[in-house]
Amino acid sequence: MIQPVIYKKEKLFLLDQRKLPFKEIYIEIKKFNQLLNAIKNMTVRGAPLIGITAGYGFLIGLEKILKRKDFKEVLKKRLSALENTRPTAYNLFYVTRRIRELVDKGIRDFKAYEDIAIKIHQEEIKRCEKIGKVGSKLIRKGMRVLTHCNTGALATGGIGTAFGVIYKARKKIKEVIFTETRPYFQGARLTSYELHKAKIPHRLIFDFEAGVLMKNRMVDIVITGADRIAKNGDTANKTGTLVLAVLANYFKIPFYIAAPVSTFDLNAKSGKDFVIEQRNPEEVKKVYGKRIAPDITKAIYYSFDITRSKLISGYITEKGVLKPPFRL
Ligand code: MRU
Protein backbone atom coordinates (compact mmCIF):
# COMPACT_ATOMS: atom_id res chain seq x y z
CA MET A 1 0.00 0.00 0.00
CA ILE A 2 1.13 3.55 -0.71
CA GLN A 3 2.57 5.23 2.44
CA PRO A 4 1.67 8.94 2.32
CA VAL A 5 3.15 9.59 5.80
CA ILE A 6 6.15 7.85 7.33
CA TYR A 7 7.13 8.35 10.99
CA LYS A 8 10.30 6.60 12.03
CA LYS A 9 12.63 7.24 14.95
CA GLU A 10 11.17 10.70 15.61
CA LYS A 11 11.52 11.69 11.95
CA LEU A 12 8.54 12.61 9.76
CA PHE A 13 8.43 12.20 5.99
CA LEU A 14 5.49 13.24 3.78
CA LEU A 15 4.88 12.02 0.26
CA ASP A 16 4.47 15.23 -1.76
CA GLN A 17 1.04 14.68 -3.34
CA ARG A 18 1.42 17.84 -5.45
CA LYS A 19 4.01 16.00 -7.54
CA LEU A 20 1.97 12.82 -8.09
CA PRO A 21 1.45 10.84 -10.28
CA PHE A 22 4.67 11.73 -12.08
CA LYS A 23 7.13 11.91 -9.18
CA GLU A 24 7.15 10.06 -5.85
CA ILE A 25 9.10 12.41 -3.60
CA TYR A 26 9.19 12.35 0.20
CA ILE A 27 9.86 15.57 2.09
CA GLU A 28 11.33 15.47 5.57
CA ILE A 29 9.48 17.78 7.94
CA LYS A 30 11.89 19.31 10.45
CA LYS A 31 10.04 22.38 11.68
CA PHE A 32 6.51 22.82 12.98
CA ASN A 33 5.87 25.77 10.62
CA GLN A 34 6.98 23.63 7.70
CA LEU A 35 4.34 21.10 8.76
CA LEU A 36 1.61 23.78 8.89
CA ASN A 37 2.57 24.85 5.37
CA ALA A 38 2.59 21.27 4.10
CA ILE A 39 -1.02 20.84 5.25
CA LYS A 40 -2.07 24.25 3.89
CA ASN A 41 -0.41 23.82 0.51
CA MET A 42 -1.80 20.27 0.11
CA THR A 43 1.48 18.37 0.18
CA VAL A 44 -0.75 16.09 2.27
CA ARG A 45 -4.52 16.22 2.04
CA GLY A 46 -7.69 14.18 2.62
CA ALA A 47 -9.46 14.57 5.97
CA PRO A 48 -8.22 11.42 7.79
CA LEU A 49 -4.66 11.88 6.54
CA ILE A 50 -4.63 15.52 7.63
CA GLY A 51 -5.56 14.29 11.12
CA ILE A 52 -2.85 11.62 11.12
CA THR A 53 -0.25 14.13 9.91
CA ALA A 54 -1.26 16.59 12.61
CA GLY A 55 -0.75 13.88 15.25
CA TYR A 56 2.78 13.13 14.08
CA GLY A 57 3.57 16.76 13.26
CA PHE A 58 2.75 17.77 16.82
CA LEU A 59 5.82 15.78 17.90
CA ILE A 60 8.25 18.02 16.02
CA GLY A 61 10.38 19.92 18.53
CA LEU A 62 8.03 18.73 21.30
CA GLU A 63 10.71 17.45 23.71
CA LYS A 64 12.19 20.94 24.05
CA ILE A 65 8.77 22.54 24.58
CA LEU A 66 7.84 20.03 27.29
CA LYS A 67 10.83 21.25 29.36
CA ARG A 68 9.49 24.82 29.40
CA LYS A 69 7.46 26.24 32.31
CA ASP A 70 4.85 27.64 29.94
CA PHE A 71 4.58 24.42 27.91
CA LYS A 72 0.78 24.27 28.16
CA GLU A 73 0.33 27.71 26.57
CA VAL A 74 2.83 26.97 23.81
CA LEU A 75 1.19 23.63 23.00
CA LYS A 76 -2.30 25.12 22.96
CA LYS A 77 -1.09 27.71 20.44
CA ARG A 78 0.25 24.85 18.33
CA LEU A 79 -3.12 23.12 18.43
CA SER A 80 -4.94 26.28 17.29
CA ALA A 81 -2.41 26.77 14.50
CA LEU A 82 -3.08 23.20 13.32
CA GLU A 83 -6.85 23.74 13.41
CA ASN A 84 -6.50 26.83 11.22
CA THR A 85 -4.73 25.00 8.40
CA ARG A 86 -7.71 23.19 6.80
CA PRO A 87 -10.75 24.22 8.85
CA THR A 88 -13.36 21.96 7.19
CA ALA A 89 -11.54 18.64 7.73
CA TYR A 90 -13.13 17.37 10.96
CA ASN A 91 -10.51 14.66 11.53
CA LEU A 92 -8.06 17.44 12.30
CA PHE A 93 -10.25 18.60 15.21
CA TYR A 94 -10.81 15.02 16.30
CA VAL A 95 -7.03 14.65 16.63
CA THR A 96 -6.38 18.03 18.28
CA ARG A 97 -9.10 17.20 20.83
CA ARG A 98 -7.29 14.00 21.78
CA ILE A 99 -3.94 15.75 22.07
CA ARG A 100 -5.51 18.64 24.02
CA GLU A 101 -6.69 16.14 26.66
CA LEU A 102 -3.02 15.27 27.36
CA VAL A 103 -1.97 18.92 27.40
CA ASP A 104 -4.79 19.82 29.82
CA LYS A 105 -3.70 17.03 32.14
CA GLY A 106 -0.22 18.57 32.14
CA ILE A 107 1.44 15.49 30.63
CA ARG A 108 5.16 16.18 30.03
CA ASP A 109 6.13 12.76 28.77
CA PHE A 110 7.02 12.84 25.05
CA LYS A 111 6.20 9.14 24.76
CA ALA A 112 2.55 9.76 25.68
CA TYR A 113 2.18 12.15 22.70
CA GLU A 114 4.06 9.79 20.41
CA ASP A 115 1.84 6.88 21.48
CA ILE A 116 -1.34 8.81 20.74
CA ALA A 117 -0.07 9.82 17.27
CA ILE A 118 0.75 6.20 16.40
CA LYS A 119 -2.56 5.02 17.88
CA ILE A 120 -4.56 7.51 15.81
CA HIS A 121 -2.80 6.28 12.65
CA GLN A 122 -3.42 2.62 13.51
CA GLU A 123 -7.07 3.31 14.31
CA GLU A 124 -7.65 4.98 10.94
CA ILE A 125 -6.09 2.01 9.14
CA LYS A 126 -8.48 -0.35 10.96
CA ARG A 127 -11.48 1.90 10.34
CA CYS A 128 -10.79 1.90 6.60
CA GLU A 129 -10.64 -1.90 6.57
CA LYS A 130 -14.03 -2.12 8.27
CA ILE A 131 -15.59 0.57 6.07
CA GLY A 132 -14.40 -1.40 3.05
CA LYS A 133 -15.97 -4.60 4.35
CA VAL A 134 -19.26 -2.95 5.31
CA GLY A 135 -19.55 -1.06 2.02
CA SER A 136 -18.59 -3.95 -0.24
CA LYS A 137 -21.89 -5.61 0.74
CA LEU A 138 -23.69 -2.85 -1.15
CA ILE A 139 -21.89 -3.73 -4.39
CA ARG A 140 -23.43 -6.35 -6.65
CA LYS A 141 -21.59 -8.19 -9.41
CA GLY A 142 -21.10 -6.10 -12.55
CA MET A 143 -21.76 -2.73 -10.91
CA ARG A 144 -20.25 0.50 -12.19
CA VAL A 145 -19.24 2.80 -9.34
CA LEU A 146 -18.84 6.55 -9.67
CA THR A 147 -16.55 8.33 -7.20
CA HIS A 148 -15.19 11.84 -6.75
CA CYS A 149 -11.95 13.42 -5.53
CA ASN A 150 -9.47 11.05 -3.85
CA THR A 151 -10.37 8.81 -0.92
CA GLY A 152 -7.74 6.07 -0.98
CA ALA A 153 -4.48 5.55 0.90
CA LEU A 154 -3.32 9.02 -0.10
CA ALA A 155 -6.28 10.55 1.73
CA THR A 156 -6.53 8.21 4.70
CA GLY A 157 -3.30 6.32 5.44
CA GLY A 158 -5.33 3.07 5.20
CA ILE A 159 -7.03 1.46 2.20
CA GLY A 160 -9.44 4.37 2.01
CA THR A 161 -13.07 5.27 2.66
CA ALA A 162 -15.01 5.29 -0.63
CA PHE A 163 -11.88 3.81 -2.16
CA GLY A 164 -11.78 1.20 0.61
CA VAL A 165 -15.24 0.04 -0.48
CA ILE A 166 -14.11 -0.05 -4.10
CA TYR A 167 -10.96 -1.94 -3.13
CA LYS A 168 -12.77 -4.58 -1.08
CA ALA A 169 -15.42 -5.03 -3.80
CA ARG A 170 -12.95 -4.89 -6.68
CA LYS A 171 -13.69 -8.41 -7.93
CA LYS A 172 -17.40 -7.55 -8.31
CA ILE A 173 -16.94 -4.11 -9.85
CA LYS A 174 -17.19 -3.85 -13.61
CA GLU A 175 -15.68 -0.40 -13.75
CA VAL A 176 -14.90 2.65 -11.61
CA ILE A 177 -15.83 5.96 -13.16
CA PHE A 178 -14.08 8.86 -11.45
CA THR A 179 -14.05 12.61 -11.87
CA GLU A 180 -10.94 14.65 -12.56
CA THR A 181 -11.88 16.99 -9.63
CA ARG A 182 -10.84 20.43 -10.71
CA PRO A 183 -8.90 22.55 -9.84
CA TYR A 184 -6.47 20.40 -7.80
CA PHE A 185 -7.20 17.25 -9.85
CA GLN A 186 -7.29 14.82 -6.94
CA GLY A 187 -9.20 12.42 -9.22
CA ALA A 188 -7.13 12.69 -12.38
CA ARG A 189 -3.79 12.68 -10.58
CA LEU A 190 -4.31 10.65 -7.41
CA THR A 191 -7.33 8.34 -7.78
CA SER A 192 -6.09 7.24 -11.20
CA TYR A 193 -2.70 6.48 -9.62
CA GLU A 194 -4.34 4.39 -6.88
CA LEU A 195 -6.77 2.58 -9.22
CA HIS A 196 -3.90 1.75 -11.52
CA LYS A 197 -1.76 0.38 -8.65
CA ALA A 198 -4.74 -1.70 -7.43
CA LYS A 199 -5.37 -2.97 -10.99
CA ILE A 200 -9.06 -2.01 -10.90
CA PRO A 201 -10.72 -1.23 -14.28
CA HIS A 202 -11.39 2.50 -14.48
CA ARG A 203 -12.24 5.43 -16.69
CA LEU A 204 -11.65 9.09 -15.98
CA ILE A 205 -14.32 11.68 -16.78
CA PHE A 206 -14.22 15.45 -16.62
CA ASP A 207 -16.36 16.81 -13.81
CA PHE A 208 -19.42 17.78 -15.85
CA GLU A 209 -19.64 14.47 -17.68
CA ALA A 210 -21.36 12.72 -14.76
CA GLY A 211 -24.84 13.81 -15.90
CA VAL A 212 -24.60 12.28 -19.35
CA LEU A 213 -23.16 9.04 -17.94
CA MET A 214 -25.97 8.76 -15.43
CA LYS A 215 -28.56 9.49 -18.11
CA ASN A 216 -27.02 6.76 -20.30
CA ARG A 217 -27.27 4.29 -17.37
CA MET A 218 -23.51 3.91 -17.13
CA VAL A 219 -23.45 4.43 -13.33
CA ASP A 220 -25.10 2.06 -10.82
CA ILE A 221 -24.00 3.61 -7.54
CA VAL A 222 -22.17 6.76 -6.39
CA ILE A 223 -19.85 6.61 -3.35
CA THR A 224 -17.77 9.55 -2.11
CA GLY A 225 -15.86 10.37 1.07
CA ALA A 226 -16.54 13.21 3.49
CA ASP A 227 -14.64 15.97 5.25
CA ARG A 228 -17.24 16.64 7.94
CA ILE A 229 -20.64 15.14 8.73
CA ALA A 230 -23.19 16.88 10.98
CA LYS A 231 -25.54 15.19 13.42
CA ASN A 232 -28.41 15.48 10.90
CA GLY A 233 -26.29 13.91 8.12
CA ASP A 234 -25.43 17.07 6.15
CA THR A 235 -22.03 16.37 4.63
CA ALA A 236 -19.16 18.62 3.58
CA ASN A 237 -16.98 17.07 0.91
CA LYS A 238 -14.95 18.10 -2.10
CA THR A 239 -16.80 20.63 -4.25
CA GLY A 240 -18.77 18.77 -6.88
CA THR A 241 -20.17 16.22 -4.43
CA LEU A 242 -23.38 18.25 -4.17
CA VAL A 243 -23.77 18.27 -7.97
CA LEU A 244 -23.27 14.49 -8.08
CA ALA A 245 -25.81 13.94 -5.28
CA VAL A 246 -28.44 16.09 -6.99
CA LEU A 247 -27.85 14.28 -10.29
CA ALA A 248 -27.95 10.84 -8.65
CA ASN A 249 -31.20 11.78 -6.95
CA TYR A 250 -32.71 12.96 -10.25
CA PHE A 251 -31.67 9.75 -12.04
CA LYS A 252 -32.63 7.57 -9.03
CA ILE A 253 -29.12 6.21 -8.52
CA PRO A 254 -28.09 5.36 -4.92
CA PHE A 255 -25.69 7.93 -3.45
CA TYR A 256 -23.57 6.91 -0.43
CA ILE A 257 -21.03 8.64 1.77
CA ALA A 258 -18.21 6.51 3.22
CA ALA A 259 -16.45 7.91 6.28
CA PRO A 260 -14.97 6.88 9.65
CA VAL A 261 -16.55 8.04 12.93
CA SER A 262 -13.61 10.47 13.25
CA THR A 263 -15.24 12.54 10.46
CA PHE A 264 -18.57 12.94 12.31
CA ASP A 265 -18.95 16.29 14.03
CA LEU A 266 -21.87 15.66 16.37
CA ASN A 267 -21.58 19.16 17.82
CA ALA A 268 -22.75 20.49 14.46
CA LYS A 269 -26.53 20.18 14.24
CA SER A 270 -26.48 20.68 10.48
CA GLY A 271 -24.21 21.85 7.67
CA LYS A 272 -25.07 25.45 8.65
CA ASP A 273 -22.59 25.04 11.51
CA PHE A 274 -19.66 24.14 9.21
CA VAL A 275 -16.78 26.42 8.30
CA ILE A 276 -16.16 25.98 4.57
CA GLU A 277 -12.58 26.54 3.49
CA GLN A 278 -12.05 28.92 0.59
CA ARG A 279 -8.73 28.71 -1.20
CA ASN A 280 -6.78 31.13 -3.37
CA PRO A 281 -9.03 31.91 -6.41
CA GLU A 282 -5.91 32.16 -8.55
CA GLU A 283 -5.76 28.34 -8.45
CA VAL A 284 -9.05 28.18 -10.40
CA LYS A 285 -7.40 30.13 -13.22
CA LYS A 286 -4.50 27.73 -13.57
CA VAL A 287 -3.86 24.16 -14.70
CA TYR A 288 -0.50 22.82 -13.51
CA GLY A 289 0.59 26.36 -12.79
CA LYS A 290 -0.23 27.48 -16.34
CA ARG A 291 -2.76 30.27 -16.66
CA ILE A 292 -5.97 29.44 -18.57
CA ALA A 293 -7.90 32.67 -17.92
CA PRO A 294 -6.91 36.31 -18.39
CA ASP A 295 -5.07 38.00 -15.54
CA ILE A 296 -7.95 40.37 -14.85
CA THR A 297 -10.54 37.56 -14.54
CA LYS A 298 -11.80 37.13 -10.99
CA ALA A 299 -12.55 33.66 -9.65
CA ILE A 300 -14.12 31.97 -6.60
CA TYR A 301 -12.75 28.81 -5.00
CA TYR A 302 -14.90 27.00 -2.46
CA SER A 303 -12.87 23.94 -1.57
CA PHE A 304 -15.91 22.02 -0.26
CA ASP A 305 -19.67 21.99 -0.70
CA ILE A 306 -22.40 20.72 1.60
CA THR A 307 -24.80 17.96 0.56
CA ARG A 308 -28.08 17.82 2.48
CA SER A 309 -28.75 14.52 4.20
CA LYS A 310 -31.98 13.96 2.27
CA LEU A 311 -29.88 13.39 -0.87
CA ILE A 312 -27.75 10.69 0.81
CA SER A 313 -28.91 7.04 0.76
CA GLY A 314 -26.69 6.00 3.69
CA TYR A 315 -23.40 6.53 5.52
CA ILE A 316 -20.92 3.68 5.25
CA THR A 317 -18.92 3.62 8.48
CA GLU A 318 -16.90 1.10 10.47
CA LYS A 319 -20.05 0.69 12.58
CA GLY A 320 -22.29 -0.28 9.67
CA VAL A 321 -24.40 1.65 7.16
CA LEU A 322 -25.92 4.41 9.28
CA LYS A 323 -28.78 6.88 8.96
CA PRO A 324 -29.12 10.18 10.87
CA PRO A 325 -29.57 11.39 13.52
CA PHE A 326 -26.34 9.72 14.57
CA ARG A 327 -25.40 8.44 18.01
CA LEU A 328 -21.88 7.04 17.71
O1 MRU B 1 -9.02 19.17 -0.43
P1 MRU B 1 -8.75 17.72 -0.14
O2 MRU B 1 -8.03 17.01 -1.22
O3 MRU B 1 -8.15 17.54 1.22
O4 MRU B 1 -10.20 17.08 -0.08
C1 MRU B 1 -10.35 15.71 0.13
C2 MRU B 1 -11.75 15.26 0.08
O5 MRU B 1 -12.65 16.03 -0.12
C3 MRU B 1 -12.02 13.82 0.37
O6 MRU B 1 -13.13 13.37 -0.35
C4 MRU B 1 -12.32 13.68 1.86
O7 MRU B 1 -11.28 14.20 2.63
C5 MRU B 1 -12.57 12.30 2.24
S1 MRU B 1 -11.16 11.32 2.00
C6 MRU B 1 -11.24 10.01 2.90
Side-chain angles (χ1 to χ4, degrees):
M1 198 169 60
I2 307 157
Q3 298 295 335
V5 172
I6 298 172
Y7 177 76
K8 231 185 208 168
K9 294 186 187 152
E10 295 178 27
K11 285 188 170 192
L12 179 62
F13 301 90
L14 305 179
L15 177 60
D16 189 347
Q17 299 195 22
R18 299 166 306 170
K19 303 276 192 307
L20 291 172
F22 305 113
K23 286 180 189 162
E24 287 180 18
I25 298 171
Y26 283 87
I27 300 173
E28 185 178 352
I29 302 293
K30 294 182 175 168
K31 296 245 159 68
F32 187 69
N33 273 342
Q34 191 193 355
L35 173 91
L36 296 176
N37 279 332
I39 298 176
K40 276 186 205 155
N41 70 24
M42 315 240 303
T43 300
V44 284
R45 28 70 47 202
L49 190 75
I50 292 170
I52 292 166
T53 308
Y56 286 132
F58 193 77
L59 304 175
I60 298 165
L62 181 63
E63 270 168 303
K64 249 191 189 169
I65 298 173
L66 290 171
K67 289 191 185 115
R68 288 171 58 158
K69 257 193 181 166
D70 61 348
F71 79 100
K72 274 195 182 184
E73 286 69 39
V74 178
L75 294 184
K76 282 184 184 172
K77 274 191 194 149
R78 271 192 164 202
L79 292 170
S80 310
L82 278 169
E83 287 167 352
N84 285 328
T85 54
R86 301 286 312 273
T88 309
Y90 187 67
N91 299 65
L92 181 55
F93 295 79
Y94 171 84
V95 168
T96 53
R97 194 190 69 221
R98 290 179 70 175
I99 300 173
R100 195 172 276 115
E101 280 168 15
L102 298 184
V103 176
D104 285 341
K105 281 185 195 155
I107 307 277
R108 299 187 99 140
D109 173 18
F110 175 85
K111 186 84 173 49
Y113 294 91
E114 189 181 49
D115 285 350
I116 198 85
I118 295 168
K119 190 164 183 245
I120 284 164
H121 191 175
Q122 295 309 319
E123 284 172 359
E124 290 302 343
I125 292 172
K126 284 189 197 141
R127 286 181 179 134
C128 285
E129 282 289 325
K130 286 195 187 154
I131 289 169
K133 266 193 200 156
V134 168
S136 69
K137 293 192 185 125
L138 296 168
I139 309 291
R140 292 186 306 277
K141 190 132 186 77
M143 268 190 162
R144 290 147 307 175
V145 183
L146 174 68
T147 192
H148 183 53
C149 193
N150 170 261
T151 64
L154 292 168
T156 63
I159 58 167
T161 54
F163 194 91
V165 176
I166 290 168
Y167 186 75
K168 288 283 184 195
R170 64 192 181 284
K171 295 205 174 107
K172 294 186 273 180
I173 290 174
K174 186 173 177 193
E175 176 178 48
V176 176
I177 306 279
F178 64 108
T179 57
E180 59 178 358
T181 323
R182 255 189 70 82
Y184 186 73
F185 297 103
Q186 287 95 330
R189 297 187 305 103
L190 309 177
T191 302
S192 56
Y193 174 80
E194 293 184 337
L195 285 164
H196 182 72
K197 284 210 174 210
K199 298 192 175 65
I200 301 170
H202 56 276
R203 277 194 282 179
L204 171 67
I205 60 171
F206 52 88
D207 292 334
F208 299 105
E209 237 179 323
V212 66
L213 267 82
M214 288 189 195
K215 174 160 188 309
N216 291 345
R217 295 281 150 208
M218 293 165 75
V219 175
D220 301 302
I221 188 168
V222 183
I223 312 176
T224 76
D227 268 70
R228 190 182 284 243
I229 302 171
K231 193 172 173 108
N232 76 342
D234 289 354
T235 297
N237 191 47
K238 182 53 56 198
T239 311
T241 304
L242 171 62
V243 177
L244 293 176
V246 171
L247 282 170
N249 216 257
Y250 181 78
F251 289 110
K252 305 204 173 0
I253 297 168
F255 179 94
Y256 284 90
I257 293 289
V261 295
S262 48
T263 304
F264 285 72
D265 174 8
L266 299 189
N267 291 321
K269 280 193 192 135
S270 76
K272 285 189 190 135
D273 295 332
F274 293 168
V275 173
I276 295 297
E277 175 190 359
Q278 288 198 50
R279 296 186 64 84
N280 184 353
E282 286 302 300
E283 290 181 38
V284 179
K285 293 160 56 180
K286 288 178 186 166
V287 172
Y288 266 107
K290 198 165 188 270
R291 199 172 282 290
I292 53 162
D295 246 354
I296 49 155
T297 302
K298 287 186 180 164
I300 310 173
Y301 185 174
Y302 280 100
S303 193
F304 302 97
D305 57 27
I306 300 170
T307 301
R308 299 276 300 279
S309 60
K310 66 175 180 188
L311 296 173
I312 299 168
S313 314
Y315 301 76
I316 307 166
T317 74
E318 68 270 35
K319 300 199 170 189
V321 181
L322 307 181
K323 298 258 184 194
F326 304 110
R327 256 169 248 101
L328 299 170

